[in-house]
């Protein structure tokens, strides 16, 4: 079970790191032929970073809510 949780956290982390690499390459003008334009490469990088960080943050928040570690700060409104 812990191996599955580790893989669930590592995969979005790798995607976020790849997004940072795409942003860096777009800023310095290194073009990857998969993307049609360098601006699309930068936008894809931003989306990868935001998506990866959001997934990891949501995973941690869900785990903390389940274990009652949030102390009522992030209660879902019913």
């Amino acid at each position: 079970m812990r191996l599955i949780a580790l893989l669930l956290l590592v995969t979005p982390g790798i995607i976020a790191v790849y997004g940072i690499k795409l942003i860096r390459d777009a800023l310095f003008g290194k073009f990857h032929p998969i993307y049609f334009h360098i601006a699309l490469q930068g936008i894809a990088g931003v989306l990868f970073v935001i998506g990866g960080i959001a997934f990891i943050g949501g995973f941690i928040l869900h785990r903390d809510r389940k274990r009652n570690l949030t102390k009522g700060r992030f209660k879902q409104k019913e």
Side-chain angles (χ1 to χ4, degrees):
M1 194 66 162
R2 289 185 184 194
L3 181 65
I4 294 171
L6 179 67
L7 288 175
L8 278 174
L9 288 178
V10 168
T11 305
I14 291 172
I15 291 172
V17 169
Y18 181 67
I20 292 171
K21 180 192 177 308
L22 286 178
I23 294 169
R24 184 195 63 188
D25 289 347
L27 287 176
F28 290 119
K30 184 176 179 189
F31 180 67
H32 294 278
I34 296 172
Y35 304 99
F36 300 115
H37 195 272
I38 201 159
L40 291 176
Q41 177 178 329
I43 291 170
V46 169
L47 291 177
F48 285 163
V49 169
I50 291 173
I53 292 173
F55 185 87
I56 293 171
F59 185 87
I60 292 171
L61 181 63
H62 174 72
R63 186 194 65 186
D64 286 350
R65 278 184 185 165
K66 195 165 68 171
R67 295 181 181 180
N68 290 329
L69 297 175
T70 58
K71 299 179 184 171
R73 285 181 286 192
F74 299 104
K75 281 190 176 180
Q76 289 181 338
K77 295 181 174 69
E78 297 175 12

